[in-house]
Amino acid sequence: MLPKSALTERLGLAYPIIQAPMAGAATPALAATVSEAGGLGSLGLGTSTPEVTAAEIQRFKQMTEKPLNANFFCHDDPGDVAGTGHAMRQRLAPFFQEHNAGQVPEPTVPYGTFTAAHADVLTREKPAVVSFHFGLPDEELLEQVRATGALILCSATTVAEARALEIAGVDAVIAQGYEAGGHRGTFLGGDMTNQPGLFALLPQVCRAVRLPVIAAGGIVDGHTAAAAFMLGASAVQVGTAFLRNADSKISDPHRRALAQAGDESTRVTRLHSGKPARAIRNRLMDELADMEADVAPYPSQRSLVAPLGGKGDGAFQSLWAGQNVGLTREMPAADLVRTLAEETAARFKAFA
Ligand SMILES: Cc1cc2nc3c(=O)[nH]c(=O)nc-3n(C[C@H](O)[C@H](O)[C@H](O)COP(=O)(O)O)c2cc1C
């Protein structure tokens, strides 16, 4: 038996296991498979227009009536990005030449933040859960989301962020440890290198807030999930491990890199998007390591490096992964939900 909590009870989940929202990688089929298997499936809609958001939610609903977590980004608008990233463009020029990719483009803004138009989609589609990354929308928009009846979650990477989210009225906090793959959900700034790993963040967040806390970062099997529950988690949110199945939408080089990665394979970098995010090291990250401070503002850095991404072997792609990638296993998503549940229960039994 895995712990029951307000989250599992209210959502009718068999297991307190959330497939992490992963923009670009988590498909409606992946999310529906997870929800059908008794976990909570999520769609990463942070880079989606309101129209695409509606279409993706509808696709999920065609596959299952189980609950869905719809996830959005709440980043600051970078404003006018023309002329930014000048030094970065100069450093990228030889790579563009090498790949016959033409001139390094002027930076553009590839996607916006959460807007009223997205909130209108939620009002119509009513997903059971709405989660945010990079902080929350303004009070008026948040109120509109709350009025849909959705449970509201948001990532915190420090205790201060968890406290701020409790005051803002979220229903649960996602404690995102430094191990986590993909973007850091950080929204109160500060030095990334000070940020705690999950083993330190989770118990401190559980002590600091009265809300249910969802653990994220490095959870890949029964050992890691059981540890998170022992440290006070009400549920676990699992990202990287849910990339290794046929329903995730990632490139072949990304899939191969996940299969080959080990404990020293990942690093937090701003080079892919302009914001700190954990990815498997590749040529972009190694050869431009000294340019971390010269990135174009998020998310326009993406527009500078993306043209190189489609070329070749993943050397310039964002190969998102968490630090425990080496323990992930290739298996269908429904099997992973059940395996995580069984292995976790077995760990608890071992100490009963
Ligand atoms: C490929 C990938 C994409 C991600 N995209 C998002 C996203 O769109 N929204 C979000 O809230 N978190 C995103 N994350 C972070 C996850 O929510 C979660 O914090 C992280 O995956 C947990 O660590 P793990 O990868 O070690 O399981 C992403 C993670 C990965 C690996």
Side-chain angles (χ1 to χ4, degrees):
M1 274 296 279
L2 297 189
K4 297 237 176 291
S5 68
L7 288 175
T8 51
E9 295 305 287
R10 180 156 157 197
L11 297 171
L13 305 180
Y15 309 120
I17 297 171
I18 302 173
Q19 163 252 313
M22 297 185 279
T27 58
L30 174 59
T33 301
V34 170
S35 289
E36 274 292 309
L40 177 63
S42 309
L43 286 175
L45 300 163
T47 58
S48 301
T49 60
E51 294 71 28
V52 172
T53 296
E56 294 270 292
I57 296 176
Q58 283 157 13
R59 232 168 276 148
F60 172 93
K61 284 181 175 173
Q62 282 158 10
M63 289 181 262
T64 179
E65 291 179 354
K66 301 274 186 191
L68 167 69
N69 170 26
N71 171 265
F72 300 92
F73 293 159
C74 290
H75 53 276
D76 293 337
D77 180 345
D80 183 7
V81 296
T84 63
H86 183 66
M88 178 63 64
R89 292 178 64 220
Q90 280 186 326
R91 272 296 288 281
L92 286 169
F95 299 112
F96 274 67
Q97 241 168 18
E98 181 190 320
H99 288 93
N100 290 323
Q103 298 286 316
V104 185
E106 273 287 341
T108 53
V109 181
Y111 49 86
T113 187
F114 183 74
T115 60
H118 291 96
D120 290 344
V121 172
L122 298 178
T123 302
R124 285 197 302 276
E125 301 294 341
K126 297 200 174 9
V129 180
V130 174
S131 70
F132 294 104
H133 211 50
F134 310 135
L136 292 168
D138 67 35
E139 188 44 48
E140 199 181 321
L141 271 187
L142 189 61
E143 197 42 56
Q144 187 180 342
V145 178
R146 214 176 266 131
T148 68
L151 271 177
I152 297 176
L153 321 177
C154 186
S155 307
T157 55
T158 60
V159 167
E161 288 178 349
R163 285 209 175 99
L165 294 177
E166 181 172 44
I167 290 166
V170 301
D171 296 297
V173 169
I174 304 155
Q176 190 194 33
Y178 198 58
E179 308 85 336
H183 280 98
R184 314 278 316 130
T186 303
F187 58 95
L188 291 183
D191 181 354
M192 271 315 121
T193 60
N194 290 345
Q195 289 192 345
L198 192 64
F199 212 87
L201 179 67
L202 182 55
Q204 294 186 78
V205 167
C206 289
R207 186 74 67 89
V209 300
R210 289 196 203 156
L211 301 170
V213 178
I214 297 157
I219 298 167
V220 291
D221 60 9
H223 283 77
T224 45
F229 289 118
M230 294 304 283
L231 290 173
S234 294
V236 291
Q237 179 161 303
V238 177
T240 306
F242 274 111
L243 290 175
R244 302 199 56 199
N245 58 70
D247 289 320
S248 75
K249 203 171 97 199
I250 55 173
S251 69
D252 290 342
H254 194 171
R255 221 170 267 289
R256 277 197 298 276
L258 291 169
Q260 289 162 5
D263 64 322
E264 293 185 280
S265 298
T266 72
R267 184 193 290 156
V268 172
T269 180
R270 288 179 158 83
L271 291 167
H272 291 301
S273 70
K275 265 190 187 293
R278 186 174 291 283
I280 295 173
R281 280 175 52 195
N282 59 5
R283 214 176 136 203
L284 175 76
M285 288 162 66
D286 284 344
E287 295 195 21
L288 270 71
D290 60 319
M291 295 294 286
E292 290 281 344
D294 296 302
V295 290
Y298 178 86
S300 56
Q301 171 73 9
R302 187 91 225 100
S303 68
L304 299 184
V305 295
L308 295 172
K311 321 271 170 189
D313 53 3
F316 294 88
Q317 292 180 7
S318 39
L319 308 173
W320 307 130
Q323 284 182 320
N324 249 344
V325 55
L327 293 181
T328 59
R329 297 157 285 187
E330 172 95 44
M331 70 168 88
D335 291 357
L336 180 57
V337 174
R338 280 189 287 270
T339 302
L340 286 172
E342 283 164 18
E343 288 178 348
T344 309
R347 288 312 295 159
F348 285 137
K349 244 192 184 151
F351 294 101

